[in-house]
Amino acid sequence: MIERYSRPQMKRVWSDENKFAKWLEVEIAVCEAWAELDVIPREVVPKIKLARLNLKRMAEILKETHHDMTAFLGAVAESLGDESRFIHLGLTSSDVMDTALSLQLIEASEILNQDIKELISVLAQKAIKHKYTAMIGRTHGVHAEPLTFGLKLALWVEEMKRNRQRLFEAKKTIAVGKISGAVGTYATLSPRLEERACARLGLVPAPVSSQILQRDRHAQFITTLAIIAGSLEKFATEIRGLQRTETREVEEPFGKSQTGSSAMPHKRNPELCERICGLARLIRGYALTSMENIALWHERDISHSSTERIILPGSCLALDYCLALFTSVVRELQIYPRRMKRNIELTKGLIFSQRVMLALIDKGLSRQKAYELVQRNAMKAWKGDKNFLNLLKADPEVTANLPAEELEPLFDYQYYLRYIDEIFRRLGLTEAQWKERPGTAEPTELSPETI
């Protein structure tokens, strides 16, 4: 089951091979910028661009230096000749590390963005399919008034659109480079060099930095991921609640040969949604650590570094996995409209109490009096398991204002659903737009405004 949701793309982003490749990419970009500024000979750049990193050799050097950047530079230098002296010219380690980390975070953001797009598409298609599938709405876990399962999913679509916008903003915040030297003064570099190097890398120079990029940027990124995970946890919790035996309106996918319990063969547990909820907690913990990383001593200490080796790849990997997992859950979700209808009728008409109260007010009763009359009968129905409409018909104080022929039309489920079409139009959830093409999860028409 776990292999089914393995995410090789995100794993590659956070691999040592990709990290050190990004380091080398930054080093080469700086050398190219130096050459453009006529600080180093232009003819050495083609040779420098042939530089390679031997990871095994780097590991050997690291055992001696106990410093990953010097080990990296030593291993790269061995792949070059005299031109190796121009690599890392004027730089401090964080110039390379933080700028390369931004490149990794951009790659991770792009993968997560695609994940969210796919989930939005699957949710939208399912919402449209169940646009008119009536079910009971619950507030405080108690029956309130009817809605539709499609409307519930439409709410999730809109929330994931906001999450996608949040991710865009977080990516923009982190898409910066820093080539400003040991304490951010450009003493051995220059702002022009930084601008040229960052432009080659597709980054914007940070307007000001110390030895590092400031960690409020990274905190915004991870807290954004935590918010997205929080949304997934909310959705997954709802499915778990609706899958309870007493409710059983939906069920997450359950394989033909799958087992739910070693002791109880009948069990069909919402373990996929529970897994999402657990991982959301992990990402929230990472978000807290990222916020604690903001406060560093003076121009920089190293207390953030050890945690970032865990929280940055960890949050990206966990969220990527959760998005893929939940998308699969929604795509294969088992939905039981008959059970939904049966559950709507459990309270024998009590859910129409507000309509009756408003009708009495419309007849001239005060709100307090109308509320009292309706609640009196509602409590009898609740405690005695009796039909609410029949109780109202038998109450002379009610029928003096609302005779039976006026009471009965109030007990109409469709009344609560009359604006569903308008809500869906407002959200841009039309069947033509979100029709799935074979073999894809992309809508046929997609514009930034609707996503």
Side-chain angles (χ1 to χ4, degrees), residues 5 15 29 33 51 71 101 132 270 336 338 391 405:
Y5 306 103
S15 66
L101 179 57
Y132 305 116
Y336 304 120
R338 290 182 183 176
L391 287 169
E405 61 270 19

Side-chain angles (χ1 to χ4, degrees), residues 14-27:
W14 296 104
S15 66
D16 283 347
E17 290 82 359
N18 190 51
K19 178 173 78 170
F20 297 132
K22 292 287 186 288
W23 286 14
L24 187 55
E25 189 178 343
V26 173
E27 294 282 5

Side-chain angles (χ1 to χ4, degrees), residues 366-407:
S366 69
R367 181 178 182 86
Q368 291 73 18
K369 184 59 178 177
Y371 193 101
E372 177 191 333
L373 289 178
V374 174
Q375 187 184 46
R376 182 174 71 200
N377 287 282
M379 293 304 102
K380 289 178 183 177
W382 194 282
K383 294 177 181 178
D385 195 29
K386 295 179 180 178
N387 184 281
F388 182 49
L389 177 58
N390 291 340
L391 287 169
L392 291 169
K393 288 179 180 179
D395 188 328
E397 204 170 354
V398 172
T399 55
N401 295 279
L402 280 174
E405 61 270 19
E406 292 185 36
L407 273 170

Side-chain angles (χ1 to χ4, degrees), residues 63-341:
K63 289 179 181 178
E64 300 175 4
T65 65
H66 300 286
H67 192 287
D68 46 8
M69 182 54 69
T70 56
F72 165 80
L73 293 171
V76 169
E78 291 180 2
S79 74
L80 298 170
D82 291 342
E83 62 275 3
S84 65
R85 66 193 178 95
F86 298 118
I87 289 184
H88 209 68
L89 183 65
L91 301 178
T92 190
S93 298
S94 291
D95 288 325
V96 178
M97 292 177 172
D98 273 7
T99 304
L101 179 57
S102 293
L103 295 176
Q104 284 181 281
L105 290 170
I106 289 170
E107 284 187 350
S109 298
E110 290 169 352
I111 293 171
L112 293 172
N113 179 56
Q114 289 301 316
D115 291 343
I116 294 173
K117 279 178 67 176
E118 184 174 3
L119 176 55
I120 289 172
S121 179
V122 173
L123 282 170
Q125 292 159 44
K126 194 76 74 173
I128 291 166
K129 182 178 180 180
H130 291 279
K131 184 178 181 180
Y132 305 116
T133 302
M135 66 181 298
I136 191 64
R138 298 170 174 91
T139 56
H140 307 275
V142 178
H143 284 205
E145 292 181 346
L147 45 72
T148 73
F149 188 62
L151 183 62
K152 186 185 292 284
L153 296 179
L155 189 81
W156 299 358
V157 169
E158 195 66 14
E159 185 162 341
M160 289 310 300
K161 286 182 181 179
R162 293 194 298 276
N163 282 328
R164 192 173 176 212
Q165 181 63 33
R166 290 184 183 107
L167 182 62
F168 173 81
E169 296 296 335
K171 177 185 172 184
K172 184 178 177 182
T173 298
I174 205 63
V176 295
K178 175 263 179 207
I179 313 289
S180 60
V183 291
T185 61
Y186 303 96
T188 55
L189 301 158
S190 77
R192 291 188 304 280
L193 173 82
E194 181 183 55
E195 290 167 5
R196 289 171 180 262
C198 285
R200 287 183 171 276
L201 297 167
L203 300 174
V204 176
V208 62
S209 56
S210 60
Q211 189 177 90
I212 59 169
L213 289 171
Q214 301 310 288
R215 261 40 199 178
D216 63 289
R217 297 179 181 273
H218 304 75
Q220 180 180 345
F221 182 84
I222 298 187
T223 51
T224 296
L225 268 53
I227 291 171
I228 298 170
S231 292
L232 296 181
E233 182 181 16
K234 180 177 89 171
F235 308 157
T237 298
E238 180 68 8
I239 291 174
R240 289 168 60 191
L242 296 177
Q243 186 167 332
R244 292 175 60 168
T245 306
E246 296 85 352
T247 307
R248 200 163 174 257
E249 294 178 352
V250 303
E251 279 187 320
E252 68 174 41
F254 192 87
K256 185 177 180 180
S257 301
Q258 187 174 339
T259 57
S261 166
S262 63
M264 297 169 284
H266 72 278
K267 293 284 279 179
R268 292 167 66 96
N269 302 326
E271 58 99 3
L272 300 178
C273 287
E274 289 172 344
R275 194 184 305 173
I276 289 167
C277 293
L279 289 172
R281 299 170 193 166
L282 182 70
I283 298 172
R284 277 198 295 277
Y286 288 160
L288 176 59
T289 302
S290 75
M291 288 186 281
E292 292 178 341
N293 283 344
I294 295 173
L296 302 175
W297 286 21
H298 305 301
E299 280 59 62
R300 184 244 184 156
D301 64 55
I302 205 170
S303 61
H304 65 290
S305 176
S306 56
T307 66
E308 286 180 355
R309 293 168 193 252
I310 298 170
I311 65 175
L312 286 170
S315 58
C316 291
L317 285 161
L319 183 59
D320 181 45
Y321 175 81
C322 286
L323 284 164
L325 181 57
F326 190 68
T327 299
S328 179
V329 167
V330 174
R331 184 180 279 118
E332 302 173 39
L333 191 66
Q334 302 300 302
I335 300 164
Y336 304 120
R338 290 182 183 176
R339 185 72 178 222
M340 291 176 177
K341 186 172 186 240

